[in-house]
Amino acid sequence: MIALDTKVLLRYLVQDDPAQSAAANRLFEQELTPERPGFVAITAILELDWVLRGQYLFSAQNVADALKQLVAADNLVCESSEAVREALDYEHGDLADNILHVTARANGCLRTLNLR
């Protein structure tokens, strides 16, 4: 298994750089398999959310749809995939806050303290 940097995921999803997107496509379509999956760390998912919304101006729904596809891909293993799936279904807050809330609850916390 190999870990995938955010830039690899970004190029595969956005297809905005011909050379790098082609390399990412080859990786996803020819090299990564269920038997030899790529690893996606939670930090890469959070970075991807931030870049897609901030730099590429994707809507929250478009980002959620893209991330749901990544988490569901059979040629990827995503860290904390269940927490990410649950956090993506929340209709409020940003992804980082939602993942914090979900993982806190899964670890026995009754609530998440936030200063707003």
Side-chain angles (χ1 to χ4, degrees):
M1 186 161 32
I2 59 169
L4 303 177
D5 183 74
T6 305
K7 199 179 267 190
V8 173
L9 302 169
L10 183 66
R11 295 297 167 247
Y12 183 70
L13 291 173
V14 179
Q15 297 291 310
D16 64 341
D17 180 289
Q20 290 184 359
S21 295
N25 292 344
R26 275 190 305 280
L27 176 69
F28 273 83
E29 296 164 8
Q30 298 173 14
E31 296 180 39
L32 299 179
T33 66
E35 297 77 28
R36 294 185 52 219
F39 176 76
V40 180
I42 193 83
T43 51
I45 290 171
L46 292 171
E47 283 181 330
L48 194 56
D49 174 64
W50 185 78
V51 170
L52 289 174
R53 290 218 249 166
Q55 291 182 304
Y56 290 83
L57 304 177
F58 277 36
S59 70
Q61 186 60 55
N62 287 343
V63 173
D65 291 344
L67 294 177
K68 284 178 184 179
Q69 287 180 344
L70 282 179
V71 173
D74 64 355
N75 61 348
L76 296 176
V77 171
C78 294
E79 179 183 13
S80 304
S81 61
E82 289 302 317
V84 172
R85 278 189 199 97
E86 187 175 342
L88 286 168
D89 286 336
Y90 279 28
E91 294 182 10
H92 62 280
D94 69 10
L95 183 58
D97 287 341
N98 293 344
I99 288 174
L100 174 68
H101 175 72
V102 167
T103 56
R105 191 178 64 230
N107 283 283
C109 298
L110 300 176
R111 66 187 178 110
T112 302
L113 181 61
N114 188 345
L115 302 176
R116 293 183 188 229

